[in-house]
Amino acid sequence: VAPDSFRTKMVRWAQVSPDGRNVVFESLGKLWTQSASGGSPRRLTNNGEDVFELYPSWSRDGRQIAFVAWNDARLGKVQTIGASGGKPKDATTQAGHYSDPRFAPDGRTIVFEAGSGGDLTSDKWGRDSGIYSVPASGGAPQLVKRGGSDPQFGANGDRIFFTEQKA
């Protein structure tokens, strides 16, 4: 029905590494890295074909990438992986509806957005919508702020900035 391989023409969540040399992006539900100067993309993870990989972001030292792994049955988890690829590590210990993970400047903490699910996705493992943090080495998410989106640490790591809509 279709060719064995083809060139994609759309990437999402492209993020340039802190040194400007590489790009990580999502295409067809998988994460890829590529030299910013061109060349062939390389698959970053070895997650199974039943897992979608979304929202990649670099650590500030460029050594790690945080992202969300999603499976419709198992839901989402925040994972980290070395910038050169390999086996991802779970940062969250509970399934959930996660997005937009970002490392602290020191790389030890990740902030992310969590939602309640429902509508098009399962409401299982839903939680208060808001900004959460978790150790990059793994642990249970801790609520930082109810509501809000697009979290990121400030330059010194002592503040978290986010977007909030007021009614």
Side-chain angles (χ1 to χ4, degrees):
V1 176
D4 290 338
S5 65
F6 59 92
R7 182 180 295 268
T8 64
K9 296 181 181 178
M10 181 178 162
V11 301
R12 297 188 302 171
W13 301 297
Q15 300 287 320
V16 177
S17 63
D19 66 7
R21 294 182 180 173
N22 296 294
V23 178
V24 63
F25 59 90
E26 179 272 341
S27 185
L28 300 173
K30 303 300 178 198
L31 294 184
W32 302 83
T33 58
Q34 182 174 342
S35 170
S37 62
S40 296
R42 180 181 58 79
R43 177 87 187 272
L44 181 65
T45 72
N46 61 4
N47 276 328
E49 291 304 311
D50 64 338
V51 176
F52 291 98
E53 301 158 352
L54 316 162
Y55 309 109
S57 68
W58 295 89
S59 61
R60 296 205 186 165
D61 64 7
R63 294 182 182 169
Q64 296 185 81
I65 296 170
F67 66 98
V68 173
W70 178 267
N71 173 283
D72 286 343
R74 297 184 305 268
L75 304 181
K77 55 187 166 183
V78 175
Q79 292 189 310
T80 62
I81 191 167
S84 60
K87 183 174 173 53
K89 297 176 185 170
D90 294 346
T92 53
T93 57
Q94 301 169 340
H97 300 268
Y98 305 134
S99 64
D100 298 313
R102 299 287 183 264
F103 281 100
D106 65 9
R108 294 190 305 211
T109 304
I110 298 172
V111 292
F112 57 92
E113 186 178 340
S116 58
D119 296 329
L120 295 176
T121 60
S122 171
D123 61 356
K124 292 180 182 175
W125 287 101
R127 61 186 58 198
D128 289 335
S129 295
I131 307 300
Y132 287 77
S133 69
V134 67
S137 60
Q142 300 296 315
L143 178 66
V144 173
K145 169 85 169 92
R146 282 192 172 78
S149 62
D150 304 314
Q152 61 183 325
F153 282 93
N156 296 326
D158 59 344
R159 297 181 190 272
I160 298 171
F161 295 90
F162 58 91
T163 303
E164 185 173 39
Q165 291 185 342
K166 296 289 185 177

